[in-house]
């Protein structure tokens, strides 16, 4: 709400309305509106101007916020006027003229009457990429921020603003919004249409990086570009960019190839392939040769090892320029005394002269130095930014005056005025320029990266600095992306004198545009997107677009002198330069290829552990998937199951039609490990267990296969003999999982409390489960095999029970009169048969004690009772301490005397007289070691049952238990502790006698784990 304390008047110069103070009302008597405070444009001395008063300089009414008061479009912004917008039909489109931001060309795509997909109900607008001619069809611009605004002519603050970011490519060439403003609202009264029913759109884009290309999974660097990349071994991208730049200097590659390493080769042959550490020259030769001949990315581990680096160095980001100097120094050291001595200097070495010249006397001091690279300032010593290479070189060679208090001491002339500086004497054929992007900031007292704009030409004229130096051609650009603490290096290289540039980003090598290699790496900042339509006219006068710094910029530049560029870039033939090196590298390649094939073959090998039915019959107790194998095979993972079936049939000496195979698999939902049918048409790889399976061994993957023969074959090891009736064996080659099922069958003997495995039984899915009992198969297996169980009672009136062993903790009853399909049984499920037992009377309580008992005995009448009994059975370690005894912690008796480690009375064996024994003998209590026993209990025991078991085991009398009748005259108190009572722990509560041992275990602070036991202290 704006205050009514002024009136409007027309501004004859601008044709708009202005604000003026007036104490009265206007002639028509309408209320006046004015800004609170003093009148605009009139300020007294000392008046304070604030952001609030700036906003109130002009009241932002709809007249002041007309479209005409908007600033003109920015350099990255496009304005598009569409006349007679209401004359367009639904689905009819119009495009604006294009605008190029960096090398991203875009335009506005507008549907004034809406798109067909939107039903023509709203105006639709999109930003559409318009790639330049000649761009790779796989082009993509990553992370382009864009905005589209439909401007309201009468009040631009009501304009519709939309913004987002997108990766523009051929497949995603446009991006925008279908619903900007409803077409029914388009009129000059609403402000959406201007003179001539004109729609006004504005759009701008902020391009983060120049174009690149999208590569698919089958992209081949060698086929696409003719080059391969280098693997990144942690943080070695800086080394990869530098090595690629050196490799594509053909003369440098020729120098590396030419070095004779015969002595090193012989030494390594004597030491052996795996024992000898190759030299830096050999490692560099290997890398360069592989870069020239390999089809995939090259490994640099040998080269890193020759530097003396370890794994830590591989993950440490080093400086590319520093590595370049180290590499050249090492090469020169290794080439001393050879025919290639001095070749590095002839290629990279330049000369400069440090001079001091007196102004008033004839005296000059000069000193010549050599350089391999020139470090150029991005920011001058005076603090201003330098824009070009020439400007930075001028500052590098600028004179410095020595006068005043800084006079020069000239030999023989005393202190004199002088000028000193550096001048170049000779530039090398290959000029390395390092841009000093990393700078120590004196204000922050820390290193910072300078992202300011610094331009470098494709053709550099250095005649200004050395007479006759000539022109240099840009060959490679090493780029750093990131900040001073972290970042990434990659390189743009022009391998030949044509205009085709290639981007080398570790193992990814792609063609790129010249703009992406040069202009895009100048640095600087880009105009960002901004919704300035929310601002008032007074704010727009001082509005500045937000910017975003380019964190990727050139760090190292390599120029080659134009008159010798063809010679320097000439690709050498390694066979002509050094045939011995080629033979060595070729032998290493063959050896590596052989090792790779052996490794692949080893990875494709699969160990098959065969399990026969007789092996299952040796298992007792509940299901355990760790079955000892009978026989092992090795096969290829890509072989079909049919090949395995033929080998198994040959091993068993039976027809392959009479054998069926089942693989041990993990069922995720049920969390069980069971045998599943192996279709002969599938591969062995498809039958391998999952990595998360309990029986999977990552060190040595294997497949456990159960071999089941037709009914009638003997149960035993290979070879299997036919012992069946005269009818032929079942043809198992026609096995169908929908109609046939295989079950693992067990038997539980109630008398001996023993579970034995009878074997495997296959049957129809629609046959009742008791078929295996009615057919006599269960009785036959019990009689044939010596399971050491009680004999079966007479068959007349014998009642059977069937249980499914779902898991050790879950035993579920099954109706043996129903079919496996109706009982939802799957292949490999485990069934347990037993003779039905009479149920105990209902009036008997399971916790009720019989006379003379201190703890209940839980009856085991079926498999479920046995599982419950085994789950609740626990070994309890009980240590009985007498409260009248001296405290003893870790064998040290607290006898009241300091300095006693452990008295001899607390030790086993012969006594040895010690001073502390005399002190202990004076104690009123005689020390006795605490007695410890391991007792078998049940987690279902109540607190009183535990007391009774302990009392009975230790022979304690007069302990109050449920079985102690009549009550004892005197009572022995037992306090329970989870640890030594001398540690200060509180005893367990004894008030709740209905507390079970399981509840005590749940509250235990520490439960030690023992193999095969569940102990409790």
């Amino acid at each position: 709400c704006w205050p009514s304390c002024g009136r409007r008047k027309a501004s004859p110069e601008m044709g708009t309305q202005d604000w003026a103070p007036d104490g009265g009302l206007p002639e028509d008597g309408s209320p006046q509106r004015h800004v609170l405070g003093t009148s605009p444009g009139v300020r007294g001395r000392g008046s304070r101007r604030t952001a609030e008063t700036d906003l109130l300089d002009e009241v932002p009414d709809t007249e002041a916020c007309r479209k005409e008061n908007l600033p003109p479009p920015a350099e990255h912004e496009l304005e598009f006027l569409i006349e007679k917008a209401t004359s367009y039909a639904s689905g009819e489109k119009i495009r604006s003229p294009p605008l190029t931001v960096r090398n991203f060309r875009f335009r506005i795509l507008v549907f004034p009457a809406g798109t067909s997909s939107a039903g023509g109900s709203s105006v639709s607008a999109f930003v559409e990429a318009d790639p330049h001619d000649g761009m790779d069809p796989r082009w993509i611009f990553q992370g382009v921020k864009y905005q589209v605004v439909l401007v309201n002519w009468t009040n631009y603050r009501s304009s519709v603003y939309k913004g987002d970011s997108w990766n523009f490519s051929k497949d995603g060439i446009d991006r925008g919004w279908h619903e900007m403003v409803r077409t029914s609202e388009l009129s000059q009264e609403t402000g959406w249409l201007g003179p001539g029913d004109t729609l006004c759109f504005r759009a701008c884009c902020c391009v983060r990086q120049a174009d690149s290309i999208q590569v698919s999974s089958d992209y081949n660097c060698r086929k696409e570009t003719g080059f391969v990349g280098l693997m990144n071994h942690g943080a070695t991208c800086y080394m990869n960019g530098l090595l690629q730049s050196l490799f594509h200097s053909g003369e440098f590659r020729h120098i590396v190839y030419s070095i004779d390493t015969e002595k090193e080769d012989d030494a390594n042959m004597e030491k052996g392939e795996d024992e000898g550490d190759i030299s830096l020259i050999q490692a560099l030769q290997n890398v360069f040769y592989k870069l020239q001949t390999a089809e995939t990315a090259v490994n640099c581990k040998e080269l890193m090892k020759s530097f003396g680096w370890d794994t830590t160095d591989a993950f440490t980001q080093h400086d590319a320029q520093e590595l370049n100097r180290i590499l050249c120094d090492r090469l020169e050291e290794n080439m001393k005394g050879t025919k290639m001595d001095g070749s590095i200097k002839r290629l990279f070495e330049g000369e400069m002269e440090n001079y001091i010249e007196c102004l008033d006397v004839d005296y000059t001091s000069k000193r010549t130095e050599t350089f391999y690279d020139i470090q150029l300032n991005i920011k001058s010593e005076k603090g201003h930014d330098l824009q070009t290479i020439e400007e930075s070189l001028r500052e590098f060679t600028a004179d410095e005056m020595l006068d005043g208090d800084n006079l020069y001491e000239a030999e023989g002339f005393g202190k004199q005025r002088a000028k000193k500086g550096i001048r170049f004497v000779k530039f090398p054929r290959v000029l390395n320029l390092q841009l000093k992007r990393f700078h120590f900031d004196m204000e922050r007292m820390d290193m910072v990266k300078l992202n300011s704009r610094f331009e470098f030409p494709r053709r550099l004229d250095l005649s200004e600095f050395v007479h006759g130096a000539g022109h240099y051609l840009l060959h490679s650009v090493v780029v750093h992306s990131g900040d001073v603490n972290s970042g990434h290096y990659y390189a743009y290289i022009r391998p030949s004198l044509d205009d085709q540039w290639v981007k080398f980003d570790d193992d990814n090598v792609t063609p790129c545009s010249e703009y992406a290699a040069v202009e895009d790496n100048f640095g600087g900042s880009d105009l960002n997107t901004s919704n300035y339509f929310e601002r008032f006219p007074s704010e727009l006068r001082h509005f500045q677009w937000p910017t975003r710094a380019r964190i990727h910029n050139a760090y190292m530049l390599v120029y080659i002198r134009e008159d010798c560029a063809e010679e320097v870039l000439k690709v050498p033939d390694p066979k002509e330069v050094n045939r011995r090196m080629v033979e060595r590298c070729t032998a290493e390649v063959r050896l590596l290829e052989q090792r790779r094939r052996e490794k692949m073959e080893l990875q494709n090998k699969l160990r098959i552990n065969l399990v026969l039915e007789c092996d299952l019959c040796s298992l007792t107790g509940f299901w355990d998937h760790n079955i000892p194998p009978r026989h092992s095979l090795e096969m290829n993972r890509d072989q079909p199951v049919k090949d395995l079936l033929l080998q198994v049939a040959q091993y068993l000496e039976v027809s392959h039609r009479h054998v069926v195979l089942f693989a041990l698999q993990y069922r995720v939902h049920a969390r069980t490990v069971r045998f599943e049918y192996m279709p002969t048409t599938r591969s062995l790889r498809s039958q391998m267990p999952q990595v998360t399976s309990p029986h999977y061994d990552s060190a040595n993957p294997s497949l456990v296969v159960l071999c089941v023969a037709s009914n009638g074959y003997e149960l035993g090891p290979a070879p299997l003999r036919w012992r069946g009736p005269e009818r032929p064996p079942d043809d198992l080659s026609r096995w169908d999982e929908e109609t046939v099922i295989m079950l693992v069958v067990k038997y539980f003997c109630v008398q001996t409390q023993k579970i034995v495995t009878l074997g495997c039984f296959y049957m129809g899915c629609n046959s009742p489960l008791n078929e295996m009992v009615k057919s006599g198969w269960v009785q036959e297996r019990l009689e044939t095999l010596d399971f050491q169980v009680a004999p079966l009672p007479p068959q007349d009136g014998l009642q059977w029970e069937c249980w499914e062993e779902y898991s050790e903790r879950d035993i579920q009853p099954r109706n043996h009169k129903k079919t496996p399909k109706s009982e939802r049984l799957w292949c490999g499920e485990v069934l347990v048969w037993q003779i039905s037992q009479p149920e105990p009377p209902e009036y008997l309580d399971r916790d009720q004690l019989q006379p003379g008992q201190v703890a209940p005995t839980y009856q085991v009448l079926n498999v479920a009772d046995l599982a419950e009994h085994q789950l609740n059975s626990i070994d309890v370690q009980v240590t009985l301490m007498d409260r009248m005894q001296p405290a003893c912690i870790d064998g040290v008796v607290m006898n009241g005397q300091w300095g006693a480690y452990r008295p001899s009375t607390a030790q086993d064996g012969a006594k040895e007289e010690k001073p502390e024994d005399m002190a202990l003998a004076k104690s009123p209590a005689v020390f006795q070691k605490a007695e410890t026993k391991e007792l078998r209990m049940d987690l279902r025991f109540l607190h009183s049952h535990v007391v009774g078991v302990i009392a009975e085991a230790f022979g304690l009398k007069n302990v109050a238990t449920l079985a102690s009748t009549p009550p004892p005259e005197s009572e022995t108190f037992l306090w329970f502790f989870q640890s030594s009572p001398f540690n200060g722990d509180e005893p367990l509560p004894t008030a709740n006698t209905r507390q079970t041992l399981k509840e005590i275990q749940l509250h235990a602070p520490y439960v030690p784990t023992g193999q095969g036991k569940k102990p409790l202290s």
Side-chain angles (χ1 to χ4, degrees), residues 192-255:
W192 298 118
L193 295 179
D197 293 342
T198 302
L199 280 174
C200 178
F201 281 94
R202 285 195 178 187
C204 69
C205 291
C206 177
V207 185
R208 186 182 68 178
Q209 202 164 7
D211 60 297
S212 56
I213 69 169
Q214 298 183 93
V215 295
S216 57
S217 57
D218 57 348
Y219 178 81
N220 189 299
C221 298
R222 178 68 74 181
K223 292 181 180 179
E224 292 284 343
T225 64
F227 308 104
V228 295
L230 293 164
M231 295 181 184
N232 192 327
H233 300 289
T236 58
C237 53
Y238 67 97
M239 181 180 69
N240 294 345
L242 176 64
L243 289 176
Q244 290 285 8
S245 176
L246 294 173
F247 170 78
H248 285 89
S249 173
E251 187 169 345
F252 181 81
R253 199 190 319 176
H254 184 277
I255 294 171

Side-chain angles (χ1 to χ4, degrees), residues 10-22:
S11 174
E13 294 80 13
M14 301 297 296
T16 58
Q17 294 174 346
D18 200 354
W19 293 93
D22 196 328

Side-chain angles (χ1 to χ4, degrees), residues 134-153:
M135 291 188 68
D136 193 297
R138 297 165 294 181
W139 61 269
I140 183 173
F141 287 87
Q142 302 275 0
V144 177
K145 293 184 67 177
Y146 65 95
Q147 68 180 35
V148 179
V149 181
L150 176 55
V151 182
N152 191 292
W153 288 77

Side-chain angles (χ1 to χ4, degrees), residues 654-910:
V654 298
S655 172
H656 69 276
R657 294 181 174 274
H658 303 158
V659 181
V660 63
L661 304 180
F662 301 88
L664 197 63
Q665 300 290 350
Y666 176 63
R667 298 174 181 173
V668 179
H669 298 292
R671 296 184 179 180
T672 56
V673 180
R674 297 291 185 266
F675 284 108
E676 294 184 359
Y677 171 68
M678 300 176 64
T680 56
T681 56
R682 295 185 181 178
S683 66
L684 294 175
R685 186 185 298 273
S686 65
Q687 302 297 309
M688 290 183 61
Q690 301 177 9
V691 179
T692 56
S693 303
H695 63 295
Y696 179 80
D697 184 6
S698 58
N700 188 14
S702 60
L703 184 63
V704 179
V705 177
L706 173 64
C707 310
V708 179
S710 302
N711 289 332
Y713 279 97
E714 66 179 7
L715 191 66
L720 300 183
R721 303 302 178 195
W722 176 253
R723 293 290 184 267
E726 296 180 356
R727 65 175 180 82
D730 298 330
D731 187 1
L732 301 182
S733 63
R734 297 182 297 175
W735 187 282
D736 185 6
E737 292 183 280
E738 299 295 329
T739 58
V740 186
I741 187 174
M742 187 277 297
L743 300 171
V744 177
V745 184
K746 296 183 177 183
Y747 173 75
F748 172 58
C749 179
V750 180
Q751 289 80 3
T752 60
Q753 303 285 291
K754 187 177 181 181
I755 298 178
V756 296
T757 305
L758 303 180
C760 304
F761 187 85
Y762 61 86
M763 58 186 296
C765 293
N766 295 319
S767 301
L769 290 174
N770 57 13
E771 178 182 322
M772 60 184 77
V773 176
K774 290 183 178 181
S775 64
W777 181 84
V778 174
Q779 295 88 333
E780 178 188 353
R781 287 296 173 93
L782 288 173
E783 294 172 0
T784 305
L785 302 176
D786 185 16
F787 288 121
Q788 296 181 359
V789 295
L792 292 176
Q795 298 294 324
D796 297 337
L798 193 63
Q799 299 294 326
W800 289 87
E801 292 182 7
C802 184
W803 301 79
E804 180 191 357
E805 186 184 334
Y806 195 75
S807 69
E808 185 182 359
R809 298 175 178 270
D810 189 4
I811 308 296
Q812 301 176 1
R814 291 288 175 253
N815 189 342
H816 58 77
K817 296 181 180 180
K818 292 185 178 181
T819 64
K821 192 172 185 178
S822 61
E823 287 294 298
R824 298 182 178 180
L825 294 177
W826 297 88
C827 178
E829 300 287 11
V830 181
L831 293 184
V832 183
W833 290 93
Q834 72 165 81
I835 306 298
S836 298
Q837 300 295 321
E839 292 289 337
E842 296 183 357
Y843 62 84
L844 291 179
D845 187 3
R846 298 186 68 178
D847 295 333
Q848 184 176 359
L849 300 179
Q850 301 298 324
Q853 280 187 323
V854 295
T857 302
Y858 300 99
Q859 289 186 330
V860 177
L861 302 178
N862 51 48
V863 184
D865 292 342
L866 180 64
E868 187 178 9
H869 172 72
Q870 291 187 2
L871 287 175
N872 288 295
S873 180
I874 186 174
D875 294 326
V876 182
Q877 188 176 14
V878 181
T879 301
L880 187 65
M881 297 183 178
D882 190 342
R883 68 182 181 88
M884 298 300 296
Q885 289 290 322
C888 179
I889 301 178
D890 296 332
V892 179
V893 180
M894 305 297 106
N895 55 9
Q897 301 292 326
W898 291 100
Y901 252 143
R902 186 178 180 186
S904 57
T905 52
Q907 299 178 352
D908 297 329

